[in-house]
Amino acid sequence: MKELTQLNKSGGYYKKVIRTFANNLEHIAAGHSLSQLLDGFFCTRKGREIEKEMRNKQTINSKLGGKLLKLVDQFKEIHSAAPINEKRHILSLFSKIFTNEELKEFGFQFTSSQFSNSRKIKSISFKAGSPEYKGRPAISHEAQKILKSFAYQNTSPAANRTIKNPDGSGSPIPVRYVPCCLHCFFELYCKTATQSHWENLSESSFRKYLPKEIKVAKKATDLCPICEEGKKAEKRLNGRFLFSEEEWKILNEKKQIYATHKDYVKKQRASFEAQIKELKIGEAVVLYDFKENIKLGGGPREVSQTFYTKSQRTILGMCLIFKQENEKNEVETKFNYIDFVSEDLTHDAFFVKRCLEKLFSMPIFQNNRFKNLHLWCDGGKHFKNKNIIFLCLQQSNNFNSIELNFFIPYHGKSLCDSHFSIISRIQQAYEKSIDSIDSTEKFIEVMNDSFSRFA
């Protein structure tokens, strides 16, 4: 867009720019006192003189004053108080008419990127002085109140979950759970709206204006029983309840156990992360864990008997972490995943021992000549036993040191679990779209091909 000084003052394009600017301001004013100041802003014969005078900071301070100075000050306040993602929209009202330096003379504060982005925003088209917007208009305040009332009547409060107040003040708002999915909840609203003659909403508007505290309940599994009992005890002790001396002792004991347990979890996790961070060349960390047994035999099309004829396999996943120099002589951390697949479904110490022996004899282990080894796993009986300790003693001749570390019970989630989720997704995608996996060899082939393509 050309500067106004370069345009013909009597030309239609000049008038269009001024009119668009005025109507934009009128729309933002939303019918409040600001709109009264805008009535004569660019509509009078002196509009061109006002625009010319606005280019001079001294003129604004001396001659204009009054309504126009108040108008500029109001927009400076709106711009400074607006959220970061909205500043460019307000700035776009001025950036297509005034230059960067001129706006800064008026007192606006913005970065060069905000100014350039504001100029890229398309102008709103106007007809007969009123704005035309594409898309649906916002629903009325009355409809929003009805929607909130309906949501609260058909939801139940969460036991121990809150969200921050959207206004940023006041106490947190308790979360309320929907008894079904949001689509079914919307259908229930439509049925009620038809009977009660409420305003009809689209599903997108329904989801948009539904109060933020209304959420779909989720089931949490595989939780730590010590943490769960400790949180309940902590909440009861902090609440306004009366206890007998015996009940208070039990709850206080659970709270202390939970605090100690949580402290151990943090320290052990921090120790594990520090060990990986401080690894040196010639050292390695081995993470290992069992995956839930997989089922083979599924495919894109399954007959009714397929569900009963699927065979299972055991997967023991291991993650080898070590540091190595690359071609640029820079030290980088390597993560190698090795999975042992077997038809033997017994998760015992003998199986783990054989798999670790197999790992130690692999080329990736032999070629790097690791001197210090750190083993990490959870506290399952198949990992925490005499057989694994005896294996470490047997391998002590091949290493300077071997450490056997265990995560705190119920807090053993690691990189192996993330790797297992990828395995499950690859298997599901292959069986849905390509072919069935009916053997261990086929499963290994599919996994190797998928990981090699995305490596």
Side-chain angles (χ1 to χ4, degrees):
M1 181 180 286
K2 296 181 179 179
E3 290 187 11
L4 292 181
T5 53
Q6 300 175 359
L7 296 176
N8 183 6
K9 299 293 182 180
S10 60
Y13 182 68
Y14 180 86
K15 294 179 181 178
K16 182 182 177 182
V17 170
I18 296 296
R19 188 167 58 252
T20 302
F21 181 43
N23 286 327
N24 270 317
L25 296 177
E26 180 69 33
H27 175 67
I28 284 186
H32 296 292
S33 59
L34 189 58
S35 62
Q36 298 173 2
L37 302 175
L38 296 171
D39 290 339
F41 186 49
F42 281 127
C43 302
T44 63
R45 296 177 182 178
K46 294 184 178 181
R48 298 173 188 172
E49 297 177 6
I50 292 174
E51 183 273 324
K52 188 183 296 184
E53 289 172 341
M54 284 184 69
R55 293 180 176 277
N56 191 332
K57 185 178 179 182
Q58 294 179 354
T59 307
I60 289 180
N61 294 332
S62 60
K63 294 182 180 180
L64 292 182
K67 291 184 178 181
L68 186 55
L69 187 58
K70 187 176 180 181
L71 175 68
V72 174
D73 289 339
Q74 283 183 339
F75 267 98
K76 281 191 291 186
E77 291 177 6
I78 292 172
H79 179 263
S80 62
I84 294 176
N85 57 342
E86 296 294 337
K87 286 185 182 293
R88 61 191 182 96
H89 293 283
I90 299 172
L91 198 62
S92 66
L93 301 173
F94 300 90
S95 62
K96 295 179 182 179
I97 295 177
F98 304 115
T99 63
N100 190 334
E101 292 77 12
E102 289 168 346
L103 288 177
K104 287 186 176 178
E105 285 182 358
F106 296 156
F108 286 87
Q109 296 181 353
F110 50 84
T111 63
S112 57
S113 60
Q114 286 176 341
F115 182 80
S116 59
N117 289 335
S118 67
R119 285 198 161 189
K120 296 176 184 177
I121 297 176
K122 293 183 179 179
S123 300
I124 303 172
S125 60
F126 292 90
K127 289 184 180 179
S130 61
E132 281 189 2
Y133 292 97
K134 293 184 178 179
R136 293 188 178 92
I139 66 174
S140 63
H141 290 290
E142 186 65 28
Q144 292 183 34
K145 289 180 181 178
I146 292 173
L147 177 58
K148 185 175 181 179
S149 175
F150 166 82
Y152 269 68
Q153 288 175 7
N154 294 276
T155 54
S156 55
N160 54 0
R161 189 179 175 191
T162 58
I163 62 168
K164 291 183 179 179
N165 197 313
D167 299 334
S169 60
S171 58
I173 302 174
V175 169
R176 301 184 69 87
Y177 286 139
V178 176
C180 52
C181 66
L182 284 181
H183 177 71
C184 296
F185 198 52
F186 168 69
E187 290 183 344
L188 178 62
Y189 171 81
C190 292
K191 185 177 179 180
T192 311
T194 304
Q195 296 172 353
S196 306
H197 305 288
W198 294 343
E199 181 179 339
N200 291 326
L201 299 178
S202 64
E203 186 168 356
S204 59
S205 296
F206 176 81
R207 289 173 179 261
K208 179 179 179 181
Y209 292 102
L210 197 66
K212 301 301 180 185
E213 62 268 22
I214 307 299
K215 298 185 180 296
V216 178
K218 295 181 180 179
K219 186 178 180 181
T221 59
D222 201 20
L223 300 176
C224 172
I226 300 174
C227 292
E228 287 300 298
E229 289 295 324
K231 288 175 183 177
K232 290 178 183 178
E234 202 172 50
K235 185 178 180 180
R236 291 196 67 189
L237 287 171
N238 294 336
R240 297 177 180 179
F241 300 101
L242 295 176
F243 308 105
S244 64
E245 186 177 352
E246 186 178 351
E247 285 179 327
W248 185 87
K249 284 183 179 179
I250 293 172
L251 290 174
N252 196 46
E253 185 180 353
K254 287 182 178 179
K255 182 180 176 181
Q256 290 177 357
I257 292 172
Y258 168 59
T260 306
H261 173 76
K262 190 165 63 172
D263 186 49
Y264 285 155
V265 170
K266 287 182 179 180
K267 286 182 179 179
Q268 192 72 338
R269 184 62 62 173
S271 176
F272 167 71
E273 292 173 356
Q275 204 166 70
I276 294 178
K277 189 176 180 180
E278 296 170 3
L279 267 180
K280 299 178 181 177
I281 296 176
E283 296 182 351
V285 171
V286 178
L287 270 169
Y288 53 97
D289 197 3
F290 276 107
K291 185 189 185 309
E292 181 184 7
N293 291 346
I294 60 170
K295 293 183 178 181
L296 303 182
R301 297 178 65 84
E302 300 178 0
V303 297
S304 57
Q305 296 299 320
T306 304
F307 177 82
Y308 303 100
T309 58
K310 288 182 179 179
S311 57
Q312 296 188 33
R313 298 291 185 275
T314 289
I315 296 181
L316 177 62
M318 297 188 180
C319 179
L320 177 63
I321 308 169
F322 60 95
K323 290 198 174 181
Q324 192 179 52
E325 286 188 357
N326 56 19
E327 297 175 353
K328 298 180 182 179
N329 295 326
E330 296 175 347
V331 178
E332 59 182 8
T333 306
K334 296 281 188 179
F335 295 84
N336 286 80
Y337 292 94
I338 301 102
D339 299 308
F340 296 91
V341 187
S342 173
E343 297 179 6
D344 184 5
L345 304 181
T346 56
H347 297 179
D348 55 9
F350 179 73
F351 182 82
V352 177
K353 182 173 176 289
R354 291 291 302 274
C355 290
L356 284 172
E357 290 173 345
K358 183 74 175 176
L359 174 70
F360 296 155
S361 62
M362 283 183 173
I364 190 172
F365 221 90
Q366 298 293 328
N367 296 338
N368 285 281
R369 298 179 181 179
F370 299 120
K371 297 299 180 183
N372 299 321
L373 187 63
H374 310 278
L375 302 177
W376 283 87
C377 59
D378 59 37
K381 293 181 180 179
H382 36 260
F383 297 138
K384 198 173 184 179
N385 53 68
K386 297 178 181 178
N387 291 319
I388 305 302
I389 295 175
F390 182 67
L391 172 65
C392 294
L393 292 173
Q394 285 181 323
Q395 296 290 331
S396 59
N397 295 329
N398 302 326
F399 302 97
N400 291 340
S401 65
I402 299 180
E403 279 186 11
L404 183 57
N405 304 281
F406 300 99
F407 291 110
I408 302 301
Y410 310 108
H411 293 272
K413 298 296 182 184
S414 63
L415 294 171
C416 291
D417 296 279
S418 303
H419 176 67
F420 294 155
S421 67
I422 297 173
I423 290 176
S424 298
R425 290 202 296 270
I426 292 173
Q427 182 187 3
Q428 290 173 6
Y430 188 88
E431 290 181 339
K432 284 180 181 178
S433 59
I434 302 177
D435 196 6
S436 63
I437 303 176
D438 50 11
S439 65
T440 305
E441 292 74 17
K442 181 71 175 291
F443 175 80
I444 294 173
E445 180 186 345
V446 170
M447 291 300 145
N448 287 337
D449 180 61
S450 299
F451 281 112
S452 61
R453 282 190 289 111
F454 295 107

